[in-house]
Amino acid sequence: MARRLPVVGGNWKMHTTRTEARALLQALRADLDGLAGAQIVVCPPAPWLSDAADALAGSTLEVGAQDVHWEPNGAFTGAISAPMLAGVASWVIVGHSERRHLFGETAEETNAKLRAILAAGLRPILAVGERQEESDRTADILRRQLDEGFLGFDRLPADVVIAYEPVWAIGTGLAATPDDAQTRCALIRSMLAQRFGAAAADNCRIQYGGSVNPQNIGGYAKQPDIDGALVGGASLDAAAFTAICRAVAAA
Ligand code: PEP
């Protein structure tokens, strides 16, 4: 099996002024352009996507959006479609737990968004993960989220990255242990293998996300089934995000 290139995503969520965003983009480019051994995807808020596209043009850093609407156009005030994003981003996070749980995104919507992302030639980072109260049935939750996310897919698109993000670990400082994260990512890979075949599952990149920081990234980066990280809070600090990316690239 060819080594999977790890992916580190920085999900800025609803943070940064435009001035802060531009400064962070510049710092990331200066620190990380040309880094071998990891693919880096910076996901700023939607209003700064074209700033990001400009600031990172010609570098090895790629731009991602945090969400998308599933229709290509129409009377959907405030929404942004995948064909619109295609001009400024190459990745889109989909099914993030904050979209699912704070904004009521349904499984059908996640599936429709995934299709729209792929149809527009973009690459999805599909986030899955159990809530604290579901931790006694994590396998069932992950299987259901994968089944629902990929409903109607007869093959696993090569461009899909999965982010395993236990909801209780996001933004709490309570990161999963590297062993537990490895067990869950291996479980996701085995579920993908059952559904799409061993080769597709072996090639699929599966990130861990949930309170990743420069101190704990080393534990995840060396796990055989963890292919990078989706980083929230620490992605707002150029030095911290750079340290995370370098640790992943060096593992
Ligand atoms: C996230 O937003 O996907 C995330 C993992 O956030 P944090 O790193 O802050 O836990």
Side-chain angles (χ1 to χ4, degrees), residues 1 15 20 27 52 76 81 83 88 95 110 118 125 146 169 177-178 182 184 202 208 220 223 225 234 244 249:
M1 184 197 71
H15 293 293
E20 289 165 347
F76 301 104
S81 75
V88 285
T110 303
L118 292 163
I125 297 175
L146 292 173
T177 66
Q182 159 60 24
R184 303 291 194 262
D202 271 355
Y208 167 71
Y220 305 112
Q223 302 298 332
D225 284 288
I244 291 168

Side-chain angles (χ1 to χ4, degrees), residues 10 14 16-17 37 43 48 52 61 90 149 156 162-163 171 193 200:
M14 198 173 73
T16 65
T17 63
C43 305
W48 319 146
L61 282 73
S90 41
L156 180 64
I162 311 261

Side-chain angles (χ1 to χ4, degrees), residues 11 13 96 98 165 169-172 209-212 230-234:
N11 175 11
K13 310 194 188 194
H96 192 280
E98 286 154 18
E165 300 207 299
I170 297 179
T172 59
S211 297
V212 169
L230 187 55
V231 184

Side-chain angles (χ1 to χ4, degrees), residues 102-168:
L102 299 180
F103 294 92
E105 178 170 310
T106 65
E108 292 73 23
E109 289 168 352
T110 303
N111 176 261
K113 290 179 179 188
L114 192 53
R115 290 169 182 280
I117 293 164
L118 292 163
L122 296 165
R123 298 168 169 211
I125 297 175
L126 172 64
V128 296
E130 81 285 1
R131 294 203 252 188
Q132 181 76 67
E133 61 271 29
E134 297 167 331
S135 33
D136 56 342
R137 51 200 168 96
T138 300
D140 291 343
I141 300 295
L142 295 177
R143 183 177 296 282
R144 198 190 70 213
Q145 290 179 344
L146 292 173
D147 283 349
E148 290 172 342
F150 292 117
L151 188 71
F153 284 64
D154 53 15
R155 60 174 194 89
L156 180 64
D159 284 342
V160 173
V161 168
I162 311 261
Y164 167 60
E165 300 207 299
V167 179
W168 46 267

Side-chain angles (χ1 to χ4, degrees), residues 41-103:
V41 183
V42 179
C43 305
W48 319 146
L49 281 170
S50 71
D51 287 316
D54 289 345
L56 303 180
S59 78
T60 56
L61 282 73
E62 299 178 34
V63 180
Q66 299 174 15
D67 188 31
V68 67
H69 194 274
W70 54 89
E71 291 291 343
N73 48 53
F76 301 104
T77 300
I80 302 172
S81 75
M84 293 171 184
L85 291 176
V88 285
S90 41
W91 295 82
V92 186
I93 300 169
V94 59
H96 192 280
S97 68
E98 286 154 18
R99 299 304 316 175
R100 294 180 194 260
H101 303 309
L102 299 180
F103 294 92

